[in-house]
């Protein structure tokens, strides 16, 4: 018998969330963000959250909705533009922000899920990112010691998932979702299509269900586009 | 006088070699994709998790699930592949990407680059730039030679917070192509109609001029 990770809805999926927890959110820009779990967290009202997410959403969508309600104490991201409320809170000192290189962010997630407590990377050497970090030379090049994250929850989003938590992503929405799914002590996956075990081709699953503790079908996916760039069809 | 942004992109496109995997940054670097020389096959890597990036989609075919690192909607070419962020940066740190082209606010004559933060302004973050410059073997900077105040962006030392040290290999500006050498910026080519004197005046860092400096061929 395959394990069954299915929960009824987003409210049930976020059960156990508490004030001051460290929480991960998959997505790059607005692509592949766990929209439904974010809405449920807003309703839940948990405060003082440290959020690990490559970006911080936009005003009124994505993590922007948790910034509006001041539920976020600290953001750990690589890039945080395009969000006026974020900017206001950062400049006023209400919000702590830790900016780290994108590859280091991804690897600190992967390492957390892979049982690697720390690793050396060349990214950031000689910059302010290196302040206070151990430097070690390998193959004639300096590297910084970076530590794995420690997150109570990871919220990820996939295109399809089965009841055992196996996930398939679409296009570039995979981004941070895979590494973060490995990293959460409790990983919650929301999917557009939830299917029975056996319906996904095992050869084409991106994230094995072992990394997922809870899965549910999202009630509503807006899938907003941040920068719509198109070309005209030639006549 | 000098090249426009498209001209800079066109000159950088001449650096593409058959079989290259290439990462293009936001701004002028993105334009390089418009000038791939005939007979050269390259594949573009987007650090949010894609190889084989194609042009913008036709109206009505855009998808929130298919974007580039600048968050613009794009398309996938035949042979494209999607992957997760950790794998994407394994490609970058592991030097599987042959060429990185990115913009900069300042470059020093030792190859240091500053392109992510201006003190006193809202800091948005470095994104993937620090990972890219720390690991790539071949980094070309695409930028204007001077800033809006007319001050040189090719310096003895960067004044802005650094993105990476001793990493840039070449700089292509509206005025010139320069290679970073242990002794400073080696002037390789002049933009059409631009004199060596003009380049000297616009370069604050150490500039090396050896013999006649040819004009770029575009």
């Amino acid at each position: 018998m395959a394990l069954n990770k299915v929960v009824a809805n987003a409210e049930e999926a976020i059960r156990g969330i508490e004030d001051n927890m460290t929480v991960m959110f998959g997505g790059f820009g607005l692509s592949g963000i766990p929209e439904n779990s974010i809405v449920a967290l807003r309703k839940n009202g948990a405060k003082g959250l440290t959020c690990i997410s490559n970006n911080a959403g936009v005003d009124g969508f994505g993590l922007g909705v948790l910034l509006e309600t001041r539920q976020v104490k600290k953001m750990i991201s690589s890039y945080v533009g395009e969000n006026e409320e974020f900017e206001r809170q950062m400049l006023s000192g209400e919000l702590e922000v830790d900016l780290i290189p994108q590859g280091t962010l991804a690897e600190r997630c992967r390492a957390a899920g892979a049982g690697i407590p720390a690793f050396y990377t060349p990214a950031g050497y000689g910059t302010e990112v290196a302040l206070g970090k151990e430097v070690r030379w390998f193959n004639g090049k300096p590297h910084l010691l970076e530590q794995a994250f420690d997150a109570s929850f990871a919220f990820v989003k996939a295109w399809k998932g089965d009841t055992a938590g196996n996930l398939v992503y679409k296009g570039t929405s995979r981004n941070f979702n895979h590494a973060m799914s490995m990293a959460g002590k409790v990983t919650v996956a929301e999917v557009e299509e939830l299917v029975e075990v056996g319906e996904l081709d095992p050869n084409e699953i991106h994230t094995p269900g072992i990394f997922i503790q809870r899965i549910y079908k999202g009630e509503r996916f807006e899938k907003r586009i941040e920068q719509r760039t198109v070309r005209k069809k030639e006549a | 006088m000098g090249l426009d942004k498209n001209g800079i992109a066109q000159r950088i496109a001449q650096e593409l070699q058959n079989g290259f995997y290439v990462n293009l940054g936001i701004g002028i670097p993105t334009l390089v994709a418009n000038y791939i020389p005939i007979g050269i096959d390259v594949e573009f890597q987007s650090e949010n998790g894609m190889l084989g990036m194609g042009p913008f989609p036709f109206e009505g075919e855009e998808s929130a699930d298919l974007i580039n690192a600048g968050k613009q909607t794009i398309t996938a070419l035949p042979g494209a592949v999607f992957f997760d962020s950790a794998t994407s940066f394994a490609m970058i740190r592991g030097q599987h990407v042959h060429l990185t082209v990115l913009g900069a606010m300042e470059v020093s004559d030792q190859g240091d680059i500053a392109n992510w933060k201006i003190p006193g302004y809202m800091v948005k973050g470095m994104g993937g730039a620090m990972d890219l410059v720390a690991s790539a073997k071949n980094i070309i900077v695409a930028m204007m030679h001077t800033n809006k105040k007319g001050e040189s962006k090719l310096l003895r030392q960067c004044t802005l917070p650094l993105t990476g040290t001793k990493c840039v290999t070449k700089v292509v500006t509206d005025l010139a192509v320069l290679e970073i050498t242990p002794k400073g910026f080696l002037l390789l080519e002049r933009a059409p109609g631009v004199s060596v004197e003009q380049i000297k005046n616009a370069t604050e860092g150490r500039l090396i001029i050896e013999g006649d400096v040819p004009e770029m061929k575009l």
Side-chain angles (χ1 to χ4, degrees):
Chain A
M1 258 310 263
L3 302 177
N4 189 342
K5 316 271 179 77
V6 177
V7 294
N9 52 40
E11 286 66 35
E12 202 176 309
I14 67 160
R15 191 174 294 165
I17 199 91
E18 289 170 17
D19 290 355
N20 304 311
M21 273 184 168
T22 297
V23 184
M24 290 176 168
F25 296 89
F28 184 101
L30 301 179
S31 184
I33 59 172
E35 298 183 32
N36 290 279
S37 293
I38 291 170
V39 170
L41 284 169
R42 176 168 169 140
K43 284 184 195 150
N44 170 282
K47 289 209 178 337
L49 300 174
T50 293
C51 297
I52 302 167
S53 171
N54 189 53
N55 313 94
V58 295
D59 291 297
F61 190 63
L63 285 181
V65 308
L66 299 184
L67 289 163
E68 279 171 2
T69 47
R70 312 275 198 288
Q71 288 174 264
V72 183
K73 179 179 73 180
K74 181 176 181 179
M75 278 300 311
I76 301 175
S77 304
S78 84
Y79 190 85
V80 294
E82 287 79 61
N83 190 326
E84 280 179 29
E85 179 58 18
F86 182 96
E87 194 168 334
R88 195 195 62 71
Q89 289 185 24
M90 179 173 167
L91 294 174
S92 71
E94 288 167 66
L95 180 68
E96 289 173 57
V97 179
D98 193 1
L99 293 170
I100 62 179
Q102 195 177 132
T104 300
L105 182 73
E107 193 64 14
R108 289 177 69 186
C109 295
R110 200 199 71 82
I116 305 287
F119 57 91
Y120 288 96
T121 176
Y125 174 78
T127 76
E128 61 189 61
V129 166
L131 293 175
K133 286 179 186 154
E134 182 189 322
V135 175
R136 201 165 151 190
W137 291 64
F138 296 97
N139 305 321
K141 266 188 80 171
H143 293 75
L144 303 180
L145 183 67
E146 295 281 1
Q147 297 196 27
F149 285 122
D150 181 9
S152 303
F153 277 83
F155 295 102
V156 302
K157 186 260 166 181
W159 175 32
K160 294 179 191 175
D162 69 20
T163 53
N166 296 305
L167 303 179
V168 177
Y169 307 94
K170 192 172 191 181
T172 54
S173 73
R174 194 179 321 181
N175 53 61
F176 282 85
N177 284 300
H178 175 71
M180 286 183 175
S181 77
M182 296 167 64
K185 288 195 179 66
V186 176
T187 295
V188 174
E190 59 182 81
V191 295
E192 292 179 53
E193 292 177 39
L194 182 61
V195 301
E196 292 301 322
V197 288
E199 287 186 43
L200 297 177
D201 180 346
N203 291 301
E204 295 185 352
I205 287 166
H206 299 134
T207 297
I210 190 169
F211 296 121
I212 308 299
Q213 280 67 50
R214 303 172 190 170
I215 188 167
Y216 70 100
K217 183 179 184 309
E219 192 183 340
R220 179 171 176 274
F221 287 98
E222 180 180 338
K223 296 178 73 169
R224 198 184 288 187
I225 291 175
E226 200 163 343
Q227 294 211 41
R228 187 179 304 273
T229 46
V230 293
R231 61 194 157 127
K232 290 236 186 293
K233 264 189 186 135
E234 284 162 37
Chain B
M1 184 61 63
L3 301 172
D4 62 7
K5 290 177 177 184
N6 283 298
I8 296 173
Q10 200 178 346
R11 175 59 191 82
I12 290 173
Q14 294 174 8
E15 304 286 320
L16 300 174
Q17 292 177 27
N18 208 29
F20 265 17
Y21 288 101
V22 182
N23 183 291
L24 299 178
I26 294 162
I28 302 174
T30 308
L31 302 171
V32 173
N34 298 334
Y35 299 99
I36 305 168
I38 292 164
I40 298 285
D41 285 323
V42 296
E43 213 162 88
F44 293 109
Q45 199 247 19
S46 191
E47 66 265 26
N48 57 317
M50 175 180 194
L51 275 167
M53 184 170 38
F56 294 151
F58 289 120
E59 261 177 341
E61 292 173 12
E62 65 274 22
S63 162
D65 293 325
L66 191 41
I67 63 169
N68 63 18
K71 295 153 194 164
Q72 298 171 311
T73 49
I74 44 145
T75 53
L77 296 173
V81 55
F82 302 114
F83 37 84
D84 78 286
S85 299
T87 303
S88 181
F89 281 91
M91 293 174 189
I92 289 165
R93 279 190 308 265
Q95 301 191 332
H96 305 283
V97 175
H98 299 101
L99 174 65
T100 292
V101 184
L102 73 178
M105 299 188 250
E106 296 177 345
V107 176
S108 82
D109 63 23
Q110 306 112 78
D112 297 347
I113 177 172
N115 74 350
W116 75 284
K117 182 176 183 178
I118 304 176
Y121 287 81
M122 165 75 186
V123 182
K124 293 188 171 181
M126 67 291 282
M130 284 191 183
D131 310 272
L132 281 159
V133 302
S135 296
K137 268 183 282 191
N138 194 358
I139 299 171
I140 299 180
V141 166
M143 66 176 190
M144 304 309 274
H145 212 99
T146 55
N147 64 21
K148 282 173 190 158
K149 291 185 214 155
E151 299 161 340
S152 181
K153 295 170 72 173
L154 288 86
L155 306 174
R156 185 72 185 87
Q157 297 281 351
C158 292
T159 62
L160 296 169
L162 292 178
T163 308
T165 60
K166 297 186 174 68
C167 53
V168 176
T169 47
K170 239 177 216 180
V171 183
V172 179
T173 73
D174 51 329
L175 303 183
V177 180
L178 309 106
E179 189 184 319
I180 308 284
T181 69
K183 291 178 180 169
F185 296 111
L186 174 62
L187 181 58
L188 297 180
E189 295 173 24
R190 298 172 289 117
V194 172
S195 70
V196 169
E197 206 54 35
Q198 284 168 316
I199 296 164
K200 263 191 197 171
N201 290 337
T203 307
E204 195 256 357
R206 294 172 300 169
L207 184 66
I208 304 160
I209 298 155
E210 290 176 347
D212 281 340
V213 179
E215 208 169 80
M216 293 178 202
K217 291 187 179 65
L218 295 174

